[in-house]
Amino acid sequence: MVALLWVLGAVILAAGEALSGDFFLLMLAGGALGTAGVSALTDLPVWGDALVFAALSAALILGVRPALTRRFSTPPPTPTGIQALTGKTAQVLEPVDEVSGTVRLDGDVWTARPLDPTEVYAAGTTVTVMKIDGATAVVWKGP
């Protein structure tokens, strides 16, 4: 009877894993399933089952979960296009003020305006691209 409760717990934990997807609850489900097997074959007291569950779950969490996480994790998406330009440095070609200006960004010439409309950046200044607004690079010299 106790083994059946452990199997039920394993099923509930595995169902919870389907919602979270971080392999933690799945390791606990494996511990519960292993404990169900031990409970069915032996006549351990409840605290003995709890120790078996704790040992199996800890072994799975420390031994199996890191490998599963490495295998199935996806790297963060690499920004492409305009999103990849944010944070890059650019060289001012013509003075940048709130009305006009150009910068060389990744080998291309872009129109630019300063992040702070009161600032003016002289030709030759290195600036950082804060965002792209249409076809205009919004730049900042920084501290």
Side-chain angles (χ1 to χ4, degrees):
M1 178 63 180
V2 176
L4 189 57
L5 292 174
W6 283 108
V7 170
L8 180 63
V11 169
I12 291 170
L13 287 166
E17 177 63 36
L19 298 174
S20 69
D22 65 351
F23 299 115
F24 186 79
L25 293 177
L26 189 62
M27 300 300 107
L28 294 179
L33 196 58
T35 304
V38 170
S39 181
L41 297 175
T42 64
D43 192 23
L44 289 176
V46 174
W47 62 267
D49 283 349
L51 289 176
V52 170
F53 172 72
L56 287 173
S57 295
L60 289 171
I61 289 169
L62 297 174
V64 177
R65 185 174 180 264
L68 285 175
T69 303
R70 276 191 305 273
R71 173 71 172 93
F72 293 108
S73 67
T74 57
T78 304
T80 58
I82 292 174
Q83 292 83 15
L85 298 176
T86 301
K88 291 200 173 206
T89 58
Q91 190 74 30
V92 176
L93 299 177
E94 296 175 7
V96 174
D97 58 26
E98 67 177 316
V99 182
S100 64
T102 59
V103 295
R104 180 168 306 281
L105 175 59
D106 266 1
D108 294 325
V109 176
W110 283 73
T111 57
R113 65 178 168 83
L115 183 62
D116 179 0
T118 62
E119 293 186 359
V120 176
Y121 304 129
T125 305
T126 301
V127 292
T128 302
V129 177
M130 302 309 288
K131 68 179 181 176
I132 301 294
D133 184 18
T136 302
V138 180
V139 297
W140 180 57
K141 184 177 178 187

